[in-house]
Amino acid sequence: TENQNQQQKPAQDPVSCYQAQPQRNLLHEKRKNQDGEWKVERSYEVLSKLGKGGFAKVYLAKDISSNEQYAIKVVDKSSLEKDSFKEKLNQEIKIQKSLNHENVVKYYTSFEDSQNVYIVLEYCSNQTFKELLDRRKRLTEIEVKSHLFQIIQSLKYIHSKGVIHRDLKIANIFLNDKMVVKLADFGLSAMMKNAQKRKTVCGTPNYIAPEVLKNQGHDYLVDNWAIGVIVYTFLIGKPPFEEKEVENTLRNIKANRYSFPENCTISKEAKDFIQKILVPNPDQRLTMDQMLQHPFMKSEEYYIPKTFPISTLALPPTAN
Ligand code: ADP
């Protein structure tokens, strides 16, 4: 009977039943309406801190109405007093807004309150290739081909939109929950107008192209150079020009001094690919399309998977 059913239910623990819900850390996206009143457009629950960068803290947050997760970049306005920071941030927002590609971290919106500017971005739960390489040390050639194919697609896309990344490195390339490659961090990107050559010196030492160091003006091809550095790093486990002292790294780059370790087992196609990218004269460097046509990328012996399983975050892929 109904009465018996009720009796079979376990008695509720009076303590847990009345325990207060843990405090939720809510962030409200407020916007001014036509009458100049502030209205909450969306609320996010801040779940954890993802990291800290040069001028921002990044949090994992969930839109409480849709349950979608986002990475929210939080920039303290007091850090924006310096004009260069303000410029960097505005630049990043403007560029992110203009991009929409499967292999580029998606920008959703940005808003602010009295203290901070918030940038709502696609969340990449599997971190960057920096963390991946810290665990794996180096990647197999078939993985490099698959990841690189996506990196090239993202760069061909941004270049077609007049954007040069300029700070391409393994710490700026993320993997999402489905192991899809996502290019991020446009703080240093430049919007190119009329293909003029840029002259600002920037970028992380290991990845800087020689024409930037020699102050010869530079363009899209600095990103191609960085691909050479990335592929070498993926396959060998350390960047090609790296030295303890930054000056020595820069000297190696200027002199195009790098080599493959004697005992390294990478294919001749992979070596040739890297050598045709790490070419000092940008005009003689492989273009993105030439990279896709190179024998390293056009292996016909076996099928190159579109993405790799999550297990490859820690271990090499297995043969089957
Ligand atoms: P920087 O200021 O050096 O450019 P960021 O502010 O872009 O660095 O990011 C700082 C850290 O936050 C990153 O190293 C990463 O761990 C994390 N992060 C940034 N963006 C995302 C994202 N879209 N998804 C997941 N984690 C992210």
Side-chain angles (χ1 to χ4, degrees), residues 50-56 58 71 73 88 105 121-124 174 185:
L50 293 170
K52 193 174 180 302
F55 76 122
V58 183
K73 226 175 199 192
K88 186 176 187 258
V105 167
L121 299 169
E122 177 178 9
Y123 170 49
C124 303
F174 285 80
D185 207 348

Side-chain angles (χ1 to χ4, degrees), residues 12-195:
Q12 278 191 328
D13 177 344
V15 179
S16 66
C17 179
Y18 292 108
Q19 243 170 15
Q21 289 283 317
Q23 189 85 47
R24 293 210 294 178
N25 193 1
L26 293 183
L27 169 65
H28 302 292
E29 179 181 333
K30 291 183 190 161
R31 306 217 174 255
K32 252 188 198 161
N33 66 13
Q34 284 161 333
D35 305 326
E37 295 159 349
W38 288 95
K39 284 264 151 63
V40 175
E41 189 143 317
R42 253 179 296 265
S43 296
Y44 303 89
E45 181 180 357
V46 179
L47 301 171
S48 62
K49 188 168 171 180
L50 293 170
K52 193 174 180 302
F55 76 122
K57 288 186 184 122
V58 183
Y59 295 89
L60 171 62
K62 180 177 83 174
D63 178 333
I64 61 166
S65 60
S66 69
N67 268 339
E68 284 293 322
Q69 292 189 320
Y70 297 99
I72 302 191
K73 226 175 199 192
V74 182
V75 183
D76 189 331
K77 281 185 173 173
S78 66
S79 72
L80 295 179
E81 276 159 23
K82 268 197 197 159
D83 279 353
S84 62
F85 283 153
K86 201 179 271 176
E87 206 178 296
K88 186 176 187 258
L89 182 69
N90 287 336
Q91 185 77 359
E92 184 167 351
I93 293 176
K94 192 170 153 207
I95 291 170
Q96 285 272 3
K97 249 186 198 172
S98 72
L99 301 175
N100 184 14
H101 187 272
E102 154 150 68
N103 299 117
V104 176
V105 167
K106 192 159 174 46
Y107 163 98
Y108 289 97
T109 188
S110 57
F111 58 99
E112 56 187 284
D113 57 23
S114 56
Q115 216 187 337
N116 301 307
V117 176
Y118 304 88
I119 306 173
V120 182
L121 299 169
E122 177 178 9
Y123 170 49
C124 303
S125 63
N126 281 317
Q127 300 177 296
T128 75
F129 279 98
K130 162 99 178 50
E131 286 86 20
L132 174 58
L133 225 57
D134 286 345
R135 284 187 299 263
R136 288 279 309 278
K137 190 111 177 71
R138 56 185 80 85
L139 305 182
T140 60
E141 287 195 20
I142 189 161
E143 287 172 281
V144 175
K145 291 171 204 211
S146 165
H147 296 315
L148 188 61
F149 181 79
Q150 298 175 70
I151 296 171
I152 292 175
Q153 298 308 319
S154 73
L155 288 167
K156 276 184 68 159
Y157 171 76
I158 70 163
H159 288 177
S160 78
K161 292 275 174 182
V163 175
I164 312 174
H165 191 287
R166 292 207 296 170
D167 194 22
L168 201 59
K169 54 183 174 180
I170 59 171
N172 279 341
I173 310 172
F174 285 80
L175 286 160
N176 76 354
D177 56 337
K178 302 199 170 58
M179 295 291 280
V180 176
V181 171
K182 303 276 175 177
L183 181 62
D185 207 348
F186 293 85
L188 281 179
S189 307
M191 280 279 209
M192 286 281 282
K193 288 215 178 80
N194 315 320

Side-chain angles (χ1 to χ4, degrees), residues 204-207 229 232-233 238-259:
T204 311
N206 273 317
Y207 297 80
V229 178
Y232 182 104
T233 310
K238 69 171 206 54
F241 303 101
E242 186 172 71
E243 299 275 355
K244 275 202 194 78
E245 303 295 331
V246 172
E247 305 93 88
N248 294 337
T249 304
L250 299 180
R251 194 177 312 142
N252 284 349
I253 296 169
K254 277 190 196 163
N256 199 235
R257 190 162 48 228
Y258 73 97
S259 59

